[in-house]
Amino acid sequence: MDAADILASVLVLGIIIVSLLSNVVVLICFLYDPEIRKQVPGLFILNLTFCNLLLSVSNMPLTLIGLITTGHPGGSDFCQIVGFLDTFLTTNSMLSMAALSIDRWVAVVFPLSYHSRIRHRDAVLALAYTWIHSLCFSTVATCRSWVGYHHLYASCTLCNVRTRAAGTQFIIFTVALHSLTFLLTLIVLCVTYLKVLKVARFHCKRIDVITMQTLLLLVDIHPSVRQKCLDEQRQRRQRAIKKISTFIGTFVVCFTPYVITRIVELFSPWPISPHWGVLSKCLAYSKAASDPFVYSLLRHQYRKTCNLLANKVLKRSPLNSSSLRMENTAARCQNNSNTTNNIQPTANKPVCP
């Protein structure tokens, strides 16, 4: 192993640990909080979490073993199963992100009719399509023996070693796979989230107009209060842009290098560096570690559930510890008041609030 392989192994190990821990926390929150289970997006997040967890325990460890041993991990049949999972889980997770973006677009653009437009039955149908779509591509690749150990990515995935006689078919399949998964999802993400951003900026502009009219009426308002209101307006616009950029940016950064490398590999007469191939695969794996934070753990409902679970595990009251201190202070004051019935307080004795 050279220095690049060691760094790649450490990177894959870190991705495995973060992905497992974060996705398990999301799964626990879903099972613990009934409010999260009632929400329609919770089904898409659950499916995305399932794909990320299965990818973390099946494909990522084999990539780590392949980097350490610099060889084929496991047998050919076992590698075909893992390659099937790689295609299925990656496709399924991408389509789940597209479904989440459509759900949020409907929630923002049609807030009053959201519950009639997006129901649990609709979410189940959308998930059924993602599974059928993913199973079709992964099954075709496995039946045609287009999955195996690929040394360029040090993982069991789509591989054209056995397709010299059917190279054209493999090229068509690979282009169709990435067009109907990566490209389709990217188009859906851009269209829906940019529309969401447009609506959010429109509402922010309306709020800004109302705020400015109010500030003009309040002629005696302190300049610091006026400046605070203006700062809040700017922060609202920045938060909306930041969220949309996070949703689209993480998808592009994580998956684009891997997909481009896959396409270039089909047509380029020059070999691709194995270090770049492993790095692009690690970036694709990192999406499984970032999804829990992008879609779940940074939201208020999940943070609240995590705090409740942490307090329950630590056997603490869900209330703030300051409340406990206030109760103790009140109890001491009550004891002091009982004592003063028989004992006169001295001049230096502290008085409880």
Side-chain angles (χ1 to χ4, degrees):
M1 289 180 64
D2 55 8
D5 291 334
I6 295 175
L7 290 176
S9 300
V10 173
L11 179 60
V12 173
L13 181 60
I15 293 173
I16 292 174
I17 294 174
V18 175
S19 178
L20 283 175
L21 292 178
S22 57
N23 283 284
V24 166
V25 171
V26 173
L27 183 60
I28 292 175
C29 290
F30 181 86
L31 297 176
Y32 180 81
D33 194 343
E35 292 298 325
I36 295 178
R37 294 197 300 271
K38 290 179 182 178
Q39 300 171 0
V40 174
L43 295 178
F44 300 128
I45 293 176
L46 178 64
N47 187 64
L48 183 61
T49 303
F50 166 77
C51 293
N52 291 336
L53 279 175
L54 198 53
L55 191 69
S56 302
V57 299
S58 61
N59 298 77
M60 295 185 193
L62 282 185
T63 301
L64 180 60
I65 295 173
L67 288 171
I68 295 175
T69 61
T70 63
H72 192 296
S76 177
D77 294 337
F78 179 71
C79 197
Q80 280 199 346
I81 296 174
V82 176
F84 170 88
L85 290 175
D86 180 76
T87 305
F88 172 78
L89 296 175
T90 305
T91 304
N92 202 339
S93 62
M94 287 185 185
L95 296 177
S96 298
M97 297 172 207
L100 275 169
S101 67
I102 295 174
D103 175 83
R104 298 195 178 192
W105 169 69
V106 175
V108 173
V109 179
F110 308 102
L112 299 180
S113 59
Y114 168 76
H115 292 290
S116 61
R117 291 174 180 267
I118 302 293
R119 295 166 292 182
H120 280 82
R121 183 185 64 183
D122 302 322
V124 171
L125 291 176
L127 290 178
Y129 169 76
T130 63
W131 278 66
I132 294 173
H133 185 115
S134 306
L135 281 173
C136 288
F137 279 102
S138 54
T139 302
V140 170
T142 305
C143 293
R144 297 300 300 268
S145 298
W146 288 344
V147 290
Y149 183 75
H150 203 313
H151 291 276
L152 178 61
Y153 308 102
S155 60
C156 297
T157 181
L158 285 177
C159 184
N160 60 351
V161 173
R162 301 181 183 179
T163 59
R164 299 300 183 186
T168 304
Q169 296 179 5
F170 181 80
I171 291 174
I172 295 174
F173 174 83
T174 305
V175 173
L177 170 65
H178 294 304
S179 299
L180 295 176
T181 53
F182 171 78
L183 186 59
L184 175 63
T185 303
L186 181 60
I187 293 173
V188 172
L189 289 178
C190 291
V191 171
T192 54
Y193 282 131
L194 290 180
K195 286 184 177 294
V196 167
L197 180 60
K198 182 179 179 180
V199 174
R201 294 181 66 178
F202 173 75
H203 288 302
C204 286
K205 189 177 294 185
R206 291 182 59 186
I207 295 173
D208 293 345
V209 171
I210 295 173
T211 303
M212 293 303 298
Q213 292 175 350
T214 305
L215 292 177
L216 291 176
L217 294 175
L218 299 175
V219 293
D220 297 332
I221 191 172
H222 194 273
S224 62
V225 178
R226 186 189 302 270
Q227 185 61 37
K228 184 178 180 180
C229 293
L230 295 176
D231 292 340
E232 289 180 353
Q233 294 176 11
R234 185 171 61 255
Q235 290 175 3
R236 280 196 298 268
R237 291 191 294 267
Q238 291 177 351
R239 281 197 300 268
I241 296 174
K242 184 179 179 180
K243 288 181 179 179
I244 301 303
S245 302
T246 302
F247 292 139
I248 300 177
T250 53
F251 182 85
V252 172
V253 170
C254 293
F255 285 123
T256 302
Y258 178 70
V259 174
I260 291 178
T261 305
R262 279 291 191 179
I263 301 300
V264 171
E265 180 192 2
L266 296 174
F267 303 101
S268 176
W270 298 283
I272 300 175
S273 172
H275 298 316
W276 170 252
V278 172
L279 178 60
S280 64
K281 191 65 175 178
C282 290
L283 286 174
Y285 283 156
S286 66
K287 194 67 173 72
S290 63
D291 282 342
F293 301 98
V294 173
Y295 292 101
S296 305
L297 296 179
L298 297 181
R299 294 175 57 191
H300 172 72
Q301 185 67 37
Y302 282 87
R303 292 203 308 267
K304 179 182 176 182
T305 305
C306 288
N307 290 332
L308 291 175
L309 289 171
N311 291 327
K312 188 174 182 180
V313 171
L314 298 175
K315 297 182 179 179
R316 296 187 308 186
S317 172
L319 299 177
N320 200 335
S321 58
S322 60
S323 302
L324 184 59
R325 289 196 299 268
M326 292 177 62
E327 293 177 0
N328 294 334
T329 303
R332 288 197 302 270
C333 291
Q334 182 66 28
N335 293 334
N336 291 336
S337 64
N338 294 334
T339 305
T340 54
N341 292 332
N342 299 322
I343 302 175
Q344 294 295 329
T346 61
N348 295 327
K349 185 174 181 178
V351 179
C352 295

